[in-house]
Amino acid sequence: MSIDTDTLLDWYDHSARDLPWRSPDCSAWGVLVSEIMLQQTPVARVSPIWQEWMHRWPVPSALAAASQGEVLRAWGKLGYPRRALRLHEAAAAIAEQHGDVVPQDVPTLEALPGIGTYTARAVAAFAYGRRVPVVDTNVRRVVARAVHGSADAGPSASKADLADVDALLPTPDSRAARFSAALMELGALVCTARAPRCQDCPLLPDCAWQRAGRPAYDGPAKPVQRFAGTDRQVRGLLLDVLRDTDEPVPKTRLDTVWPQDGQRDRCLDSLLADGLVEQVEDGRFALPGEQ
DNA sequence: CAGCCGTGGCA
DNA sequence: TTGCCAAGGCT
């Protein structure tokens, strides 16, 4: 069982969202920034922040010249703020080691902080048209259903997924990148995790999952991540205070965000260790690089 | 490699 | 309301 490339690409041409980072005018830097921001974060929340960043920091060297605090503030509440710090580091590396040009090949991209298996291939394909498999959670789900007849892919990605999609990539090279984008878009709009809209799916006639009678998911359970009461929530609350103030704040201010002293202090320590918070000379706390 | 790292919308 | 989910990466 395979996927009808023409059918999929035709659907993509008519149904794809008009996202700014898909514009032919969008730079490779713009694509890279969008991919980092989109890691575990919905399009609707990324869009306005991405626009702001492109206007403010149109090239890697521009972002590299900003302070960490400025970058974290501009990141706002996208979540996982270590991504912002790593993107800042990546921008500096691109500016200093690659002539301010985003690298094209996967190994070089993967060597940059914050860029892993998915993002490296997404940039190579979407920014440069390289013929490389781009496998995210959407693609894994679509392939699991349409090709393998399963309700969903397993909890974690594997090299087998990459090989899987590599075998599906069409020729010529110019169509491969659009094919990957189309697979992702189908997973985002139609072949969704919760309530797939199979009646609207262009792949319905050949879908292996459909033909198998849409069996339920029988793979290993996916780990459930709590949020309420975790260190992630407390770290978020602490960082929120610092984003919203111009001046360093005393620890007594940070102490108001969470009642449990031990957890609160541990989180503050971890933020300091991560370089997301800095302690200034008089003992107060601030975003890094702002004094 | 399993667990951790934010945030908010939606069913 | 609560649990699931959203273009992952790092250790």
Side-chain angles (χ1 to χ4, degrees):
Chain A
M1 195 64 61
S2 190
I3 290 178
D4 187 320
T5 302
D6 290 326
T7 300
L8 180 62
L9 291 182
D10 188 58
W11 172 86
Y12 183 69
D13 289 340
H14 294 294
S15 307
R17 292 166 292 181
D18 187 22
L19 303 175
W21 44 85
R22 285 181 183 156
S23 162
D25 299 331
C26 184
S27 65
W29 170 240
V31 173
L32 172 54
V33 172
S34 78
E35 292 299 343
I36 300 292
M37 289 183 171
L38 286 164
Q39 291 169 2
Q40 302 288 285
T41 308
V43 167
R45 256 191 291 161
V46 165
S47 256
I49 305 292
W50 182 86
Q51 300 278 5
E52 184 188 324
W53 278 51
M54 287 302 99
H55 175 75
R56 187 171 177 181
W57 299 307
V59 292
S61 55
L63 179 65
S67 76
Q68 292 176 313
E70 286 178 285
V71 171
L72 288 170
R73 240 180 257 286
W75 190 259
K77 307 197 77 171
L78 280 185
Y80 294 139
R82 295 187 296 185
R83 288 184 292 168
L85 250 31
R86 292 180 184 133
L87 180 51
H88 188 235
E89 291 176 47
I94 293 169
E96 292 161 17
Q97 301 165 27
H98 302 287
D100 219 14
V101 177
V102 175
Q104 301 194 26
D105 61 288
V106 169
T108 307
L109 286 163
E110 281 184 329
L112 295 168
I115 299 186
T117 305
Y118 162 77
T119 303
R121 286 164 181 78
V123 170
F126 302 147
Y128 294 114
R130 292 292 184 93
R131 190 176 190 282
V132 294
V134 183
V135 181
D136 74 332
T137 182
N138 287 309
V139 171
R140 296 203 312 123
R141 184 175 56 250
V142 171
V143 170
R145 288 176 180 164
V147 179
H148 299 304
S150 308
D152 201 353
S156 55
S158 67
K159 321 89 208 146
D161 295 322
L162 274 184
D164 244 16
V165 174
D166 190 57
L168 293 172
L169 287 182
T171 52
D173 289 10
S174 58
R175 300 180 78 202
R178 282 181 60 239
F179 177 81
S180 290
L183 234 38
M184 290 174 60
E185 191 74 343
L186 189 70
L189 299 181
V190 176
C191 194
T192 56
R194 223 155 358 178
R197 304 168 54 201
C198 296
Q199 60 286 352
D200 297 329
C201 184
L203 305 183
L204 181 62
D206 292 326
C207 177
W209 185 47
Q210 200 69 217
R211 292 190 173 188
R214 295 180 57 160
Y217 177 70
D218 65 345
K222 308 197 172 189
V224 286
Q225 282 224 41
R226 278 290 151 253
F227 179 67
T230 64
D231 286 3
R232 276 181 305 152
Q233 181 184 18
V234 178
R235 284 164 56 105
L237 292 171
L238 290 169
L239 225 41
D240 205 31
V241 170
L242 299 180
R243 271 193 304 261
D244 286 347
T245 59
D246 289 334
E247 290 193 359
V249 304
K251 186 164 185 305
T252 52
R253 171 67 185 93
L254 296 178
D255 288 345
T256 65
V257 308
W258 195 254
Q260 301 176 30
D261 297 9
Q263 184 180 22
R264 201 180 56 230
D265 291 345
R266 180 177 71 240
C267 289
L268 182 55
D269 283 344
S270 73
L271 287 171
L272 288 163
D274 287 345
L276 287 164
V277 174
E278 203 167 77
Q279 190 167 22
V280 299
E281 301 234 350
D282 63 10
R284 291 181 298 167
F285 296 88
L287 294 179
E290 294 196 318
Q291 303 319 321

